[in-house]
């Protein structure tokens, strides 16, 4: 574990755009717990952007996918040249390109492969997509590692291709199953009384899926044209198999 007292001597000033959202709050809690000065930034704070963004050593962008590039463009004009900027959304190619375009300083794309309901970074995967001046983020990567996170380095393009399978397709398949069970009026509780362990596990996963933000779920499935095309391909595979 990192020693809090030692870490405070290296305290960073961090502003999280979207810091009042669930994921933003999670990052704020974890980072401030290790002595960093964390500020939340929301839509209502643009009038104070010069202070909240201009004084930050690191700006983390944690907003819905469809707003990420727009927010990066707007925020970048307030950043000091020595500041670093990173996003923590689940699409990487466009945000990283936008950060490189609109900010001349350090840039990195991050994708924490978990939701805000986890208790800590321990044993969680964080995907890292390098952008510019990687060394400026070493303290942040060390922070993840000290909390026993697993760092996986990827290009933005490889990340987005892999997410087609690990996120968009997986979410759609389970979302479709959940809708089917609801439409067919399946008695879930009764079915669990005669279920195998794997079925029970699947129902638990469905419960978590349908309990999360519907906006987030739609974002994960439909964030890019490539994800939409992959979902169509999966649906066609279902249709072919059903006909067989």
């Amino acid at each position: 574990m990192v020693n809090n007292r030692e870490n405070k001597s290296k305290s960073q000033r961090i502003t999280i755009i979207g810091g009042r959202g669930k994921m933003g709050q999670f990052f704020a809690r974890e980072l401030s717990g290790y002595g960093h000065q964390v500020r939340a930034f929301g839509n209502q704070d643009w009038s104070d952007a010069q202070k909240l963004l201009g004084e930050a050593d690191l700006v983390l962008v944690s907003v819905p996918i469809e707003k990420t590039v727009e927010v990066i463009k707007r925020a970048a004009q307030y950043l000091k040249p020595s500041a670093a900027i990173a996003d923590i959304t689940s699409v990487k190619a466009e945000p990283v390109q936008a950060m490189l375009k609109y900010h001349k300083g350090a840039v990195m794309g991050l994708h924490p492969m978990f939701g805000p309901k986890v208790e800590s970074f321990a044993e969680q995967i964080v995907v890292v997509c390098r952008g510019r001046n990687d060394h400026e983020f070493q303290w942040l990567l060390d922070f993840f590692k000290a909390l026993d996170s697993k760092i996986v380095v990827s290009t933005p393009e490889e990340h987005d291709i892999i997410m087609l399978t690990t996120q968009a397709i997986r979410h759609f398949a389970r979302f479709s199953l959940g809708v089917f069970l609801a439409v067919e009026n399946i008695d879930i509780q009764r079915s669990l009384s005669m279920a195998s362990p794997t079925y029970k596990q699947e129902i638990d996963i469905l419960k978590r899926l349908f309990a999360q933000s519907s906006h987030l779920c739609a974002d994960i499935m439909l964030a890019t044209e490539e994800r939409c095309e992959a979902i169509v391909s999966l649906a066609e595979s279902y249709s072919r198999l059903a006909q067989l």
Side-chain angles (χ1 to χ4, degrees):
M1 295 292 290
V2 173
N3 184 301
N4 274 359
R5 190 171 299 172
E6 290 180 359
N7 200 65
K8 286 180 180 178
S9 67
K10 303 174 184 178
S11 177
Q12 300 284 328
R13 292 172 296 181
I14 303 164
T15 296
I16 303 178
I17 303 179
R20 296 181 182 89
K22 291 181 179 179
M23 201 64 176
Q25 289 181 44
F26 171 81
F27 267 77
R29 184 184 74 238
E30 294 294 299
L31 287 163
S32 62
Y34 276 77
H36 300 294
Q37 305 170 45
V38 183
R39 293 171 167 177
F41 186 102
N43 278 331
Q44 69 273 32
D45 296 315
W46 286 106
S47 59
D48 294 323
Q50 192 62 60
K51 179 178 179 64
L52 293 173
L53 300 176
E55 295 179 358
D57 300 311
L58 170 67
V59 170
L60 282 178
V61 180
S62 176
V63 299
I65 295 169
E66 74 273 11
K67 296 180 180 179
T68 300
V69 171
E70 171 192 343
V71 167
I72 289 169
K73 180 179 179 180
R74 188 175 181 184
Q77 62 185 305
Y78 297 102
L79 304 187
K80 59 187 179 183
S82 61
I85 184 171
D87 80 297
I88 56 173
T89 55
S90 61
V91 173
K92 291 275 74 78
E94 286 191 20
V96 171
Q97 289 171 5
M99 289 186 291
L100 290 170
K101 178 178 179 180
Y102 297 114
H103 180 54
K104 300 303 181 184
V107 166
M108 181 171 282
L110 301 171
H111 186 186
M113 298 302 302
F114 54 89
K117 291 185 178 181
V118 301
E119 294 183 0
S120 73
F121 283 102
E123 300 182 2
Q124 303 297 333
I125 295 172
V126 179
V127 180
V128 171
C129 297
R130 296 189 173 107
R132 182 191 299 125
N133 297 347
D134 298 345
H135 63 279
E136 297 290 345
F137 293 94
Q138 193 57 53
W139 69 268
L140 182 60
L141 301 184
D142 289 344
F143 166 79
F144 292 143
K145 292 175 182 177
L147 293 176
D148 295 325
S149 292
K150 180 180 179 182
I151 302 296
V152 178
V153 178
S154 170
T155 65
E157 294 75 20
E158 180 194 36
H159 167 276
D160 288 356
I161 290 172
I162 290 177
M163 288 305 114
L164 293 178
T165 301
T166 61
Q167 282 201 321
I169 289 299
R170 178 174 57 85
H171 268 65
F172 181 76
R174 285 178 170 148
F175 177 77
S176 300
L177 175 59
V179 171
F180 171 81
L181 294 174
V183 169
E184 295 298 318
N185 199 27
I186 303 299
D187 187 337
I188 300 297
Q189 290 305 315
R190 181 61 175 163
S191 71
L192 288 171
S193 71
M194 310 179 202
S196 66
T198 54
Y199 177 81
K200 291 179 180 178
Q201 184 181 46
E202 187 67 24
I203 294 299
D204 284 340
I205 293 172
L206 286 176
K207 287 179 179 178
R208 291 198 297 272
L209 175 64
F210 281 88
Q212 72 182 19
S213 162
S214 58
H215 190 279
L216 175 61
C217 187
D219 262 359
I220 288 173
M221 290 190 290
L222 308 174
T224 66
E225 186 63 31
E226 290 78 12
R227 292 189 182 200
C228 294
E229 291 172 356
I231 284 172
V232 170
S233 181
L234 176 64
E236 290 173 347
S237 296
Y238 284 155
S239 180
R240 287 195 302 272
L241 291 170
Q243 290 172 14
L244 287 172

